[in-house]
Amino acid sequence: MNHSIKSPVLDAMKIHVPAKANRAISFTNKEAAYYFTQSHNTNHVEHSHFAGLNIAKNRIFGGYTLFADQYMLGQLESEVWVTPYKMERTYPGNLSEELWMFDHRNILEIDLAGAKTEIGIRLEGEDIQLLGGGETAVFFRSMEGDWVIAVSAKDSQPIRFEWQNLTTDASAGGFYIAAGKTEDEAAALIQDTRDHNLKLKKERIKRMENFLQQNVYLKSDDQELALALNWLNITMDQLVTRQQGDGIYAGLPWFNEYWGRDQFISLPGAALVTGQFETARNILLSFAEFQNTDEDSVFFGRVPNILAPENIDYHTTDGTPRFIIQLQDYVKYSGDTAIIKELYPAVLSSIEGSIKHWVDDKGYLMHADNETWMDARDANLNSYSPRDTRANDIQALWYNQLRAGVYFAEYMQDTENAEKWSGIAEKLQHHFELDFRDSLHPYLADRLDAEDRPEFSLRPNQLFAFDMFEDHTFKCLATRTAWEELVYPWGVASLDRHHPLFHPFHLTHHYHKDAAYHNGAVWLWLNGIAMQRMIELGQEETAYELFKNMNRQALNLGVVGGLCENMDAYPHEGENWAKLTGAYLQAWSNAEHLRVWYQYFLGIRPDLIRHTVTIAPRIPEELQALDYHVKVGKGRIAVNYNRKAERTYRYTFINIGTEAVIDISPFEMVKIEVEPHSELIITQTDNSLKINLLDQNGTVMKEFNAARSGARAAQMDVNNQLLHDVKFCVPLGLEHHPIVQDLI
C-alpha cells in the first residue's frame, strides 16, 4: 500500500461512506477515461451498466472482484473512504484495498494488502474476450471499441489465469489494469507506470492540491461549507477533460462527451470563477473549430449541440448564443482581448446565420420544438414539452448574444454591424415585454407559439429572461411565484405541480422517464439562476437555504462530492427527501452551484473589458468568517471577511490594478481606483459603510463614508415586503392529478 503518500490538504477531505448509503464513486484521468463504481454494491438501476472503466464512449470492462487467500472479498462487508485521489476499502481480517487512477493514462492501480499467500482479481463485464497472455500479463478484448486490456501484478511477479481469475503471490501487492490499442501498448503502459509510480501519483495529488490552494482557496468557520465547496470544485474539475481538445464532459455516466449547451452553461463555474483562463480559452477556440460554416445550411453559424468522437450534431438553438456570451465573459475575467480578433469571424457567422435563417420581423429568434434545453421527444419524435416557436429563455439568450456581438463589433471597429445588431436587440426587447406578459399572470409566458399566442405554463425558464424588462415589482412577483411553485428544498422543478402534464416522479414504470424529464423532474442546474434572482433582490438568506441543502447533498447523497443531473419533484411515500435521478455527476449542476457562490454570495464579478471589478458581497448571516481568493486577469483578489459587531471585508489586489465598484445596499454605489497590492477595507454596520484604501505598505491613501441611499433603501423595503416569508414549494396530494391517478 502507499502509506508513504500523504496529502494533508486532500486527506482532510476524506469522506466515509456507510454501507447503507452505497454511494457512487467516480474518477477521471482528465483526458478521455473515467472509472465508476459504487461503494458497496454496484446495483444502480440506471448506472450499473456503465460500471468499470470507460474510454471515449467505449465501455472497457465492468469492474472487478478481488480475492485474498482464495476467498472472495465481499464489498458489502467493507468500510469505505473516499478522497479526491483514491478510494479505500478495508475488509475483515486486516485486508485493505486502494483504487487509483493516473492523469492522462488509461490505467488503474488496485492495491491489495493483508493477504497471507495469494491475491486474485476477476474482471467483470459481458463480452470480455480472453486473448492470451505471457508470464507477467494476461490480455483481453474490451467490451466495446477496439481496445486491448492488460492485467499484470503490481510488481511484475508471474500471474496465473485459472477459472476466469488472475492470481499472483500476496507479496505482489496488487494489480495494474491498462487499456491500449495493442497488447504491446497496454503492456508498455503498465511497465512505464510501474517504473514511475510514485512520481505519477505525486503529480496527480500535486495538481489537485495546487488547484484547491491556488485557484479555489477557501477557509471558513463553517467547516461543512468549506468541505462541500472543495469537493464540488474537485468533482467539477474531474469533468474538464481533453477527449477532443479541451472541453467539459456534460455528465457521467452517459454524457462523457462535449455538448455545446452544457459546455457553455458550465464554463463560468468550471473555469472562469476558478481562474482556469487558459483552459477556458482553449475550450472556446476548440468549439469554434466545429462551427457550421456552410452558408447554405439553416444551421450556418451554429456550434455543435453534441460533439462526440463519432457524432457532431447542430440541433440546438441555445448553444450558440451561450458560446458568444461566454466568449464575452471569458474576456471580462481574463482581460484577453486578443481572442476577440481570433474569434470575431465566429461571432459574425453566429449572428448573421441566425438573422438569415431564424429571426422574424419582431427580432425574435425562431426555433424548432426540440431545440431548447427542454428537448425530450417520444418515439415518434413528438416533443414531450412543446416550446416552439419562441421560448422566453431563447429570446433572452439571443438578446445577450446580440449585445455581446455589439461589443465585439465596436472593438473591431465594425460600425455597420454594431448598429444593426443593436437595433435588433432594442426591437426584440420592446416586443418581448409586450408579448410575454399579461394582466392575469404574475410571471412570464414560457413561449409564443406559431400563431403568436403566449403560452403560460409555469416553468423556470422565465428566470433567465429578467434582462428583457425593467418592471422591478414584476421581477419580485415572478421570483416569488417561481420559488413557491417550482423550487423545492432539493431543487428547481421543470414544471409547476398544478399543471395537467406535471409528473411528480422521474423514474416509475407507469410512464416513460422522458415524459417527466422536462415536465416535473427537478434539474439541479436551475438552482443557480433561482438563487441568483433571490440574491439580486436582497434575499440571500432564502437562497442560502437551498445552497446549504445542495452542499449537504454533495457530502452525503449520490456521487461522493458532486451533484447529480435530476431528482424527483416529490419524495416517495414515507421518505422526506426526493430521489436522485439522471446522470450521477452533471457538469452544469456543479458549475451553477459554484458560479452563484463566487459571483453572487461572495459577489466578485470582474469586467476587465471596462476595467472594473464589482464587489457586491451578500454573505449570509450565519457565516462569521471567510478567507478566499478569486483569480482575475493575471492576478488575484485575496479576501478576508469577519462578522462580529460589524461586518469587515478586506480585499487585497495582488497584481491587479482596476476600478473597484462597491455595491452594498442600502448605500450608494462607490467607485474607487485600486492599484496593484493595495488593500480595500470595508466596514459595514446597519447605518454606515466606511471605506479605507491602503497602499502596499499599509498607509491609508483614501478614507471616506458611503452615503445611505434613500432610493436603494426604499427598493429594499419593497423587495422585503413582496418576498416576505417566501417558502419552498411543497408537494401536493396526488389524489386528483390526471397523470398519477393510477399510482395511488
Side-chain angles (χ1 to χ4, degrees):
M1 305 295 274
N2 294 278
H3 299 299
S4 62
I5 300 178
K6 300 291 184 182
S7 170
V9 174
L10 302 179
D11 292 345
M13 295 169 60
K14 182 182 290 188
I15 290 179
H16 175 253
V17 183
K20 64 180 180 180
N22 194 31
R23 299 183 66 182
I25 298 168
S26 184
F27 302 102
T28 75
N29 71 350
K30 292 285 288 177
E31 191 157 298
Y34 75 90
Y35 189 86
F36 161 68
T37 187
Q38 287 175 254
S39 57
H40 294 82
N41 184 18
T42 306
N43 62 354
H44 192 281
V45 64
E46 293 186 285
H47 304 150
S48 58
H49 177 74
F50 294 90
L53 183 65
N54 299 259
I55 304 174
K57 302 292 290 181
N58 296 142
R59 297 165 61 220
I60 307 303
F61 67 93
Y64 58 84
T65 300
L66 293 176
F67 300 85
D69 302 325
Q70 298 186 341
Y71 287 95
M72 185 176 73
L73 299 187
Q75 294 178 3
L76 290 174
E77 301 173 349
S78 67
E79 292 290 329
V80 180
W81 290 266
V82 184
T83 68
Y85 62 94
K86 68 178 179 179
M87 177 191 70
E88 304 172 23
R89 289 191 180 107
T90 62
Y91 300 89
N94 295 319
L95 294 163
S96 59
E97 167 197 356
E98 288 186 1
L99 169 68
W100 291 74
M101 286 194 85
F102 299 85
D103 285 353
H104 311 298
R105 289 172 174 246
N106 297 328
I107 188 168
L108 298 176
E109 179 184 304
I110 298 100
D111 295 342
L112 184 53
K116 294 180 176 61
T117 60
E118 182 181 82
I119 58 175
I121 190 169
R122 181 177 69 228
L123 297 188
E124 306 294 348
E126 70 277 11
D127 300 325
I128 294 178
Q129 301 174 19
L130 176 66
L131 297 176
E135 183 180 5
T136 61
V138 177
F139 301 97
F140 301 86
R141 176 66 59 193
S142 62
M143 296 166 64
E144 297 175 354
D146 187 23
W147 293 89
V148 174
I149 305 165
V151 183
S152 179
K154 185 180 171 187
D155 69 350
S156 75
Q157 288 193 33
I159 192 165
R160 301 174 289 277
F161 185 66
E162 303 172 351
W163 301 100
Q164 298 184 326
N165 298 338
L166 290 83
T167 61
T168 189
D169 292 345
S171 60
F175 300 92
Y176 285 115
I177 308 173
K181 289 300 184 179
T182 65
E183 292 183 7
D184 288 345
E185 182 182 303
L189 177 57
I190 288 177
Q191 186 59 52
D192 188 70
T193 304
R194 182 183 287 132
D195 291 343
H196 302 96
N197 176 281
L198 190 61
K199 174 177 176 288
L200 293 169
K201 287 179 176 176
K202 287 183 176 179
E203 286 176 351
R204 183 168 168 91
I205 287 171
K206 189 64 175 177
R207 172 182 60 78
M208 294 180 183
E209 289 177 337
N210 288 344
F211 176 63
L212 291 176
Q213 294 177 319
Q214 298 176 15
N215 291 71
V216 296
Y217 174 81
L218 172 69
K219 286 187 177 180
S220 173
D221 62 308
D222 186 331
Q223 294 183 355
E224 181 181 87
L225 169 70
L227 179 61
L229 287 172
N230 278 342
W231 264 110
L232 285 158
N233 273 302
I234 283 287
T235 54
M236 179 71 257
D237 194 56
Q238 282 185 9
L239 300 178
V240 180
T241 59
R242 288 196 49 78
Q243 181 161 285
Q244 288 175 277
D246 288 85
I248 304 169
Y249 276 169
L252 300 176
W254 305 297
F255 308 128
N256 52 325
E257 59 199 1
Y258 304 155
W259 287 58
R261 172 191 305 124
D262 301 56
Q263 191 99 191
F264 299 114
I265 289 172
S266 301
L267 192 71
L272 297 185
V273 301
T274 59
Q276 298 184 90
F277 302 140
E278 183 178 358
T279 297
R281 188 182 211 276
N282 290 340
I283 289 171
L284 290 161
L285 292 172
S286 176
F287 242 73
E289 291 181 10
F290 295 95
Q291 186 178 33
N292 189 308
T293 56
D294 180 359
E295 295 189 19
D296 294 326
S297 169
V298 295
F299 301 136
F300 171 60
R302 286 189 181 184
V303 297
N305 182 35
I306 301 174
L307 180 57
E310 297 181 357
N311 179 37
I312 299 177
D313 177 80
Y314 293 95
H315 285 274
T316 185
T317 301
D318 52 349
T320 303
R322 289 188 181 277
F323 167 62
I324 302 304
I325 293 164
Q326 287 314 309
L327 173 60
Q328 185 178 38
D329 282 351
Y330 162 73
V331 178
K332 287 182 178 181
Y333 266 87
S334 68
D336 174 19
T337 54
I339 198 174
I340 300 174
K341 186 175 182 180
E342 291 182 70
L343 289 185
Y344 187 66
V347 174
L348 188 64
S349 297
S350 76
I351 296 176
E352 288 300 305
S354 291
I355 293 172
K356 180 179 180 180
H357 295 290
W358 297 99
V359 174
D360 70 7
D361 292 340
K362 291 184 176 181
Y364 290 127
L365 184 62
M366 308 284 283
H367 54 84
D369 224 7
N370 68 318
E371 290 190 342
T372 79
W373 77 274
M374 291 185 165
D375 55 3
R377 294 186 289 176
D378 64 20
N380 297 317
L381 303 183
N382 296 313
S383 176
Y384 282 114
S385 308
R387 300 195 69 221
D388 68 328
T389 54
R390 287 147 293 180
N392 56 18
D393 53 323
I394 297 298
Q395 307 318 311
L397 290 169
W398 171 231
Y399 174 81
N400 285 303
Q401 179 186 4
L402 288 165
R403 289 298 183 199
V406 169
Y407 168 77
F408 294 135
E410 290 175 345
Y411 183 86
M412 296 296 295
Q413 299 182 337
D414 182 359
T415 305
E416 180 181 353
N417 279 316
E419 291 177 352
K420 179 173 73 171
W421 298 342
S422 181
I424 295 172
E426 291 173 4
K427 179 168 64 174
L428 169 66
Q429 187 178 37
H430 168 75
H431 286 292
F432 185 94
E433 189 159 8
L434 296 174
D435 294 341
F436 280 79
R437 290 178 56 183
D438 68 12
S439 60
L440 300 178
H441 297 90
Y443 58 91
L444 295 172
D446 188 60
R447 64 185 174 110
L448 301 181
D449 66 18
E451 284 73 41
D452 290 336
R453 296 173 302 194
E455 197 277 319
F456 278 94
S457 293
L458 177 53
R459 296 183 180 275
N461 306 301
Q462 63 168 317
L463 295 170
F464 295 101
F466 281 15
D467 291 339
M468 304 299 290
F469 59 91
E470 299 295 334
D471 188 335
H472 191 87
T473 298
F474 185 81
K475 290 181 182 180
C476 288
L477 294 173
T479 300
R480 182 176 191 118
T481 301
W483 202 269
E484 295 193 326
E485 297 296 337
L486 296 168
V487 184
Y488 296 87
W490 38 87
V492 181
S494 44
L495 183 64
D496 89 90
R497 59 209 164 135
H498 302 285
H499 196 285
L501 291 181
F502 173 74
H503 293 62
F505 306 113
H506 188 192
L507 296 181
T508 173
H509 67 276
H510 293 274
Y511 46 75
H512 194 285
K513 66 178 184 179
D514 283 349
Y517 204 34
H518 302 114
N519 290 325
V522 162
W523 289 77
L524 273 64
W525 81 277
L526 296 169
N527 295 359
I529 192 64
M531 288 186 283
Q532 176 184 327
R533 294 310 186 200
M534 271 293 177
I535 296 168
E536 288 173 334
L537 296 172
Q539 311 302 308
E540 59 267 19
E541 302 300 332
T542 299
Y544 196 58
E545 290 303 310
L546 180 58
F547 191 82
K548 287 191 298 182
N549 288 347
M550 293 300 99
N551 288 343
R552 294 179 187 129
Q553 187 158 296
L555 295 178
N556 298 292
L557 297 174
V559 67
V560 173
L563 297 175
C564 61
E565 179 187 15
N566 300 115
M567 297 179 70
D568 289 337
Y570 286 10
H572 286 271
E573 186 175 356
E575 301 290 332
N576 60 10
W577 201 255
K579 183 179 179 180
L580 283 62
T581 65
Y584 64 76
L585 177 60
Q586 187 78 355
W588 58 14
S589 300
N590 268 32
E592 276 294 275
H593 191 77
L594 295 170
R595 181 190 66 83
V596 82
W597 169 252
Y598 286 96
Q599 292 183 347
Y600 287 91
F601 284 112
L602 300 182
I604 303 290
R605 299 194 288 274
D607 187 353
L608 299 189
I609 293 173
R610 296 179 174 84
H611 189 66
T612 65
V613 174
T614 295
I615 297 173
R618 304 293 187 264
I619 297 174
E621 295 277 351
E622 67 185 71
L623 297 181
Q624 299 296 306
L626 292 171
D627 277 293
Y628 57 93
H629 297 168
V630 177
K631 286 197 169 185
V632 178
K634 296 181 179 179
R636 60 189 171 94
I637 304 173
V639 188
N640 173 268
Y641 167 77
N642 273 284
R643 177 180 174 82
K644 295 178 181 177
E646 56 195 17
R647 295 175 183 245
T648 302
Y649 311 85
R650 306 177 75 100
Y651 298 89
T652 303
F653 296 82
I654 301 169
N655 295 325
I656 302 172
T658 187
E659 180 181 66
V661 180
I662 302 165
D663 175 6
I664 299 177
S665 190
F667 303 97
E668 295 283 2
M669 294 177 65
V670 174
K671 298 180 179 181
I672 184 169
E673 286 288 334
V674 295
E675 298 176 355
H677 307 293
S678 62
E679 183 178 35
L680 195 61
I681 302 176
I682 303 170
T683 306
Q684 178 190 0
T685 69
D686 290 342
N687 300 307
S688 66
L689 189 71
K690 183 179 180 181
I691 302 170
N692 287 342
L693 179 64
L694 284 64
D695 65 18
Q696 58 185 325
N697 299 314
T699 303
V700 176
M701 299 163 58
K702 293 183 180 179
E703 182 178 3
F704 53 91
N705 294 312
R708 185 177 176 85
S709 167
R712 299 192 84 184
Q715 189 64 72
M716 281 185 63
D717 289 342
V718 171
N719 295 352
N720 292 338
Q721 180 180 359
L722 292 174
L723 293 163
H724 173 69
D725 201 29
V726 66
K727 303 294 185 184
F728 281 120
C729 185
V730 177
L732 301 174
L734 301 177
E735 294 82 3
H736 305 293
H737 203 290
I739 293 292
V740 293
Q741 283 182 353
D742 61 343
L743 291 174
I744 56 178

